[in-house]
Amino acid sequence: MPAAPAEPDETEILAAERAHLAESRTALRRMREHAENLSADVAADWVSKQYLESLLDQRVAALADRPGTPLFFGRMDRAAAGGPDLPAVMYVGRRHVHDGEEGRPLVLDWRAPVSRAFYQAGPADPMGWRLRRRFGFQAGELTAFEDEPLDGPGGGGQGPSRILTEEIERPRTGPMRDIVATIQPEQDVIVRADLPRTVCVQGAPGTGKTAVGLHRAAYLLFTHRERLSRSGVLIVGPNRAFLAYISAVLPALGEVRVDQATIDGLLGAPLGEEPAAVSAAKGDARMADVVRAALWLHVRKPEEGLVVTRGSARYRLAGHEVREIAAELRGTTRYGAGRAAFAQRLAHRILVLMEQRGEAPDDRVQDQVARSRPVKQVLDAVWPKVTAEQVLHRLLSDAEFLRRAAKGVLDEDEQAAIRWPGPPRSHRSARWTAADRALLDELNGLIERTASLGHLVVDEAQDLSAMQLRALGRRCGTGSATVLGDLAQGTTAWSARSWADVLTHLGQDGEVTELSLGFRVPGTVLDYAARLLPHVAPGLERPRSLRPGAGALDVRRVPDVLAAACAAARAALDRPGSVGLIVPDAAAAAHAAALADAGLESEVLGPESDGAARLLVIPATLAKGLEYDHVIVAEPAAIAAAEARGLARLYVALTRAVTSLTVLHRDDLPAELVAS
């Protein structure tokens, strides 16, 4: 009886997998060369040629081979009864790679329907597969593999994947990395939610909610390429530093043209500041009714009729007829469209009079009448042309006008709170605040229609006011959204208290999913920060971490916080990974100077900086959404005392660490943090 063939040993397996990697890289290079050689000259006209050239440029950019990024990270082997539609072996990677001559798939895109099994298959449901193999890489070179049986005795009994754990814990420097190799089953369900669905993710620190949102954008672009290439996808983040941090994720997944913006970038940068209480009042959802009323108060009751002269003939509309037309249109359409319709309705009534006299006017005559001086005079008197800036300037500077617009909505104290104490002379000299920008956008949306995107990803959504959410809702009115955030990390004066409210203001019907199991933040660090949860978000589930994090937390009282922070930063720099020194905003300059005096090169993170330095001094108000291998938090009590929701800000600062957290304080810690 012939002996059974020997199973290949680890060295042979690694050699075979490296050969497949080399073959895949060669195939990808050929795919790119083929795309570069394609010509847009086949287009029928200049516009089509420009569009085709743009598509080809995107295709070439998407096929770029990044040497440090593995082409594939996993493999699935089919079970004997896996079904005829399943390949025998499937390599899963960041993009599709095929053999140019045979068209044989060498790597399947992680977003392809068949690739779902790599993330979802398990012993309870192998989904037609018998083996999952994960690969370990260093600097783009395949160095290790790990097999996980999916069926038969012992399937799934090996415990957590070592390679997956090492990938999660790998030191991070520079921009945020994709998590395509480490997506967990519960994350994958969110990522693959279909386009029409709006998904809201309540994610505790370290649960990967931001990465999930970005990967959902990449998945939707892959699955609905043609539709979303027309309507667009937009990522909205809290500040430019955050957007710089996440900027490399989608390009690494082959999506090179996705717009990113902050809320200020969308609505306009604020020119002035105001007390938090005033901003909160202006951000209240009731202001939508106030500004709507303010706009329509500009439509005045007609006092006279209309007389139009055509040659020797005169055509007259009585005052009551003009009032009737205005009343029919008022408030039933957008202000700008209503103004245009009012002129056309007046002109149409004149044409009816002309026909009654035996004339035969056509549409051109109606347009001429609509543009005539008498109609324009009535139009400007009854339905004047206004801008959002003019309306809001009048609303905030004219007490009587504000009283009329806010009647039954805001009481006298609330009106006094939002009214300008010393109004600017005109709307052109107004120092619009961030809250004002949202009101202006609301007015612009009432005057003219706001174009809608196909999909909107909103991160840190808990920090947006109701009026800002309404502004974003107008931008996905015919599309869908992925809403990301953590109610416990709400730090603005208008921070949301429930996701139901957020979805209502956004104008979307969505489902809320809670991610409470963390992968990034060590357990000891997360448990320490969670002491604040009962005080900042008592209704949330206490977060848990897959990583125990023994020795990751160090809380020390020191006589000199500046000196201790320098020493802690020096020690952290001796270890792999990025270092973030999170400080009260007012102390950032002093800490940067102390580090420089100690001979440590650092950069102070600003709203527009890219945060590329290995050692960063981070004002606490900019820490949200960022993560670092080693975090040093200086003087927690000062961070907590700096603003009304300071404990939430401190919770953010304490949950930025991936490997270690050092807390340094001279003053007493906040009582809420001391109590367990």
Side-chain angles (χ1 to χ4, degrees):
M1 181 176 179
E7 291 290 331
D9 61 22
E10 183 174 330
T11 302
E12 293 172 327
I13 293 175
L14 276 175
E17 300 294 13
R18 287 167 179 160
H20 187 79
L21 176 61
E23 182 184 7
S24 300
R25 288 201 181 280
T26 300
L28 180 63
R29 185 178 68 251
R30 289 174 180 164
M31 290 171 63
R32 183 181 173 91
E33 290 171 351
H34 176 71
E36 290 172 335
N37 291 329
L38 293 175
S39 173
D41 292 338
V42 296
D45 52 58
W46 182 85
V47 174
S48 299
K49 181 178 179 181
Q50 296 300 308
Y51 178 70
L52 184 55
E53 284 180 350
S54 175
L55 292 179
L56 290 175
D57 288 344
Q58 292 181 49
R59 175 63 174 164
V60 170
L63 291 172
D65 187 4
R66 295 171 172 81
T69 302
L71 275 186
F72 55 80
F73 45 81
R75 164 179 161 165
M76 299 288 282
D77 288 17
R78 189 179 72 179
D85 296 332
L86 295 179
V89 175
M90 171 179 70
Y91 287 85
V92 181
R94 288 168 173 80
R95 68 198 69 194
H96 177 84
V97 181
H98 63 265
D99 184 295
E101 297 177 357
E102 303 176 9
R104 175 171 54 97
L106 300 175
V107 181
L108 291 177
D109 195 297
W110 66 276
R111 297 167 289 188
V114 69
S115 299
R116 176 175 173 268
F118 180 77
Y119 302 103
Q120 294 288 344
D125 181 12
M127 301 173 67
W129 302 92
R130 68 174 182 84
L131 182 75
R132 173 166 43 226
R133 176 172 290 171
R134 299 184 188 273
F135 297 104
F137 289 83
Q138 290 185 1
E141 295 298 320
L142 197 158
T143 58
F145 71 92
E146 183 178 75
D147 287 344
E148 178 187 355
L150 297 174
D151 59 358
Q158 304 180 93
S161 164
R162 175 183 56 81
I163 286 179
L164 187 148
T165 302
E166 288 176 352
E167 171 63 21
I168 291 175
E169 297 179 349
R170 179 160 57 96
R172 60 212 58 237
T173 55
M176 180 182 183
R177 300 194 303 261
D178 67 71
I179 62 166
V180 67
T182 61
I183 293 174
Q184 300 300 295
E186 63 271 23
Q187 296 173 325
D188 184 66
V189 171
I190 299 170
V191 167
R192 295 177 190 270
D194 201 14
L195 179 60
R197 290 170 56 192
T198 285
V199 177
C200 178
V201 182
Q202 158 60 42
T207 54
K209 59 182 177 296
T210 296
V212 165
L214 294 173
H215 285 67
R216 186 184 183 207
Y219 171 79
L220 293 176
L221 283 163
F222 174 85
T223 309
H224 304 277
R225 177 76 60 195
E226 184 175 348
R227 176 176 174 181
L228 291 180
S229 66
R230 295 193 305 268
S231 57
V233 174
L234 176 66
I235 312 294
V236 178
N239 52 58
R240 297 303 307 178
F242 174 84
L243 293 179
Y245 176 62
I246 67 171
S247 62
V249 173
L250 288 172
L253 299 174
E255 303 301 338
V256 294
R257 292 198 177 181
V258 176
D259 291 331
Q260 296 183 339
T262 63
I263 190 70
D264 289 343
L266 279 180
L267 307 186
L271 301 175
E273 297 182 355
E274 60 193 356
V278 176
S279 291
K282 290 180 179 177
D284 191 289
R286 294 176 297 162
M287 287 299 297
D289 294 329
V290 175
V291 297
R292 181 184 298 106
L295 176 63
W296 288 105
L297 281 173
H298 285 78
V299 177
R300 295 184 283 266
K301 185 177 180 180
E303 298 295 333
E304 300 177 353
L306 170 65
V307 177
V308 175
T309 301
R310 298 276 299 177
S312 60
R314 301 179 73 200
Y315 305 93
R316 182 187 301 275
L317 291 182
H320 71 87
E321 293 181 279
V322 177
R323 287 193 292 273
E324 178 185 287
I325 295 171
E328 288 175 355
L329 290 172
R330 190 182 187 281
T332 62
T333 182
R334 288 186 174 82
Y335 187 93
R339 175 179 158 86
F342 183 54
Q344 289 293 330
R345 292 276 188 95
L346 292 173
H348 178 72
R349 290 286 185 95
I350 297 297
L351 258 67
V352 171
L353 295 177
M354 295 171 68
E355 290 171 344
Q356 289 173 352
R357 293 191 182 184
E359 300 181 38
D362 56 21
D363 290 343
R364 290 175 299 176
V365 175
Q366 179 169 322
D367 288 339
Q368 291 170 4
V369 173
R371 294 193 301 269
S372 67
R373 183 184 297 273
V375 170
K376 282 187 175 181
Q377 288 175 339
V378 172
L379 182 64
D380 291 339
V382 176
W383 207 301
K385 185 176 182 179
V386 295
T387 66
E389 289 78 8
Q390 289 170 333
V391 176
L392 189 59
H393 176 270
R394 184 181 178 189
L395 181 69
L396 299 181
S397 59
D398 185 334
E400 174 58 23
F401 185 69
L402 174 59
R403 183 191 64 77
R404 292 171 59 200
K407 184 178 180 180
V409 181
L410 303 180
D411 61 31
E412 291 184 2
D413 291 340
E414 291 171 322
Q415 294 175 35
I418 66 171
R419 194 171 62 245
W420 282 331
R425 292 182 182 178
S426 73
H427 65 276
R428 294 183 179 86
S429 59
R431 304 287 294 175
W432 304 115
T433 65
D436 293 335
R437 292 295 192 191
L439 297 177
L440 289 171
D441 194 81
E442 183 81 19
L443 283 164
N444 279 319
L446 292 169
I447 295 171
E448 301 290 348
R449 190 179 76 85
T450 302
S452 177
L453 296 156
H455 193 74
L456 184 71
V457 179
V458 187
D459 208 346
E460 304 298 347
Q462 78 282 344
D463 275 343
L464 298 174
S465 72
M467 296 306 297
Q468 289 174 329
L469 288 166
R470 287 177 61 87
L472 293 178
R474 283 188 288 278
R475 286 160 174 80
C476 61
T478 59
S480 58
T482 301
V483 183
L484 312 166
D486 181 5
L487 296 178
Q489 297 185 54
T491 53
T492 59
W494 46 44
S495 292
R497 296 297 185 267
S498 81
W499 290 117
D501 290 343
V502 169
L503 291 171
T504 297
H505 300 320
L506 199 62
Q508 293 281 336
D509 292 326
E511 55 192 77
V512 180
T513 300
E514 185 167 357
L515 296 177
S516 59
L517 183 60
F519 311 97
R520 305 287 192 205
V521 184
T524 52
V525 172
L526 203 55
D527 290 343
Y528 182 69
R531 296 178 180 182
L532 298 174
L533 267 185
H535 309 281
V536 297
L540 292 184
E541 181 180 344
R542 189 181 181 93
R544 298 170 292 119
S545 177
L546 278 178
R547 302 164 55 206
L553 176 65
D554 181 15
V555 182
R556 282 184 273 146
R557 189 163 202 156
V558 296
D560 185 340
V561 172
L562 286 175
C566 290
R570 188 183 301 278
L573 289 170
D574 289 336
R575 303 168 64 185
S578 55
V579 182
L581 171 56
I582 303 178
V583 302
D585 285 30
H591 277 278
L595 290 172
D597 292 342
L600 297 175
E601 185 177 345
S602 69
E603 175 188 333
V604 177
L605 186 70
E608 302 297 325
S609 59
D610 59 9
R614 188 178 172 211
L615 172 58
L616 283 170
V617 179
I618 305 154
T621 55
L622 293 181
K624 190 170 295 182
L626 308 178
E627 61 181 21
Y628 304 92
D629 287 286
H630 310 287
V631 171
I632 305 158
V633 174
E635 209 59 89
I639 294 175
E643 52 189 308
R645 287 185 55 81
L647 285 177
R649 184 76 69 189
L650 179 57
Y651 180 75
V652 172
L654 294 173
T655 53
R656 301 304 95 201
V658 175
T659 301
S660 70
L661 171 66
T662 301
V663 179
L664 304 173
H665 66 103
R666 185 190 64 182
D667 299 335
D668 289 342
L669 293 171
E672 297 86 352
L673 192 59
V674 175
S676 59

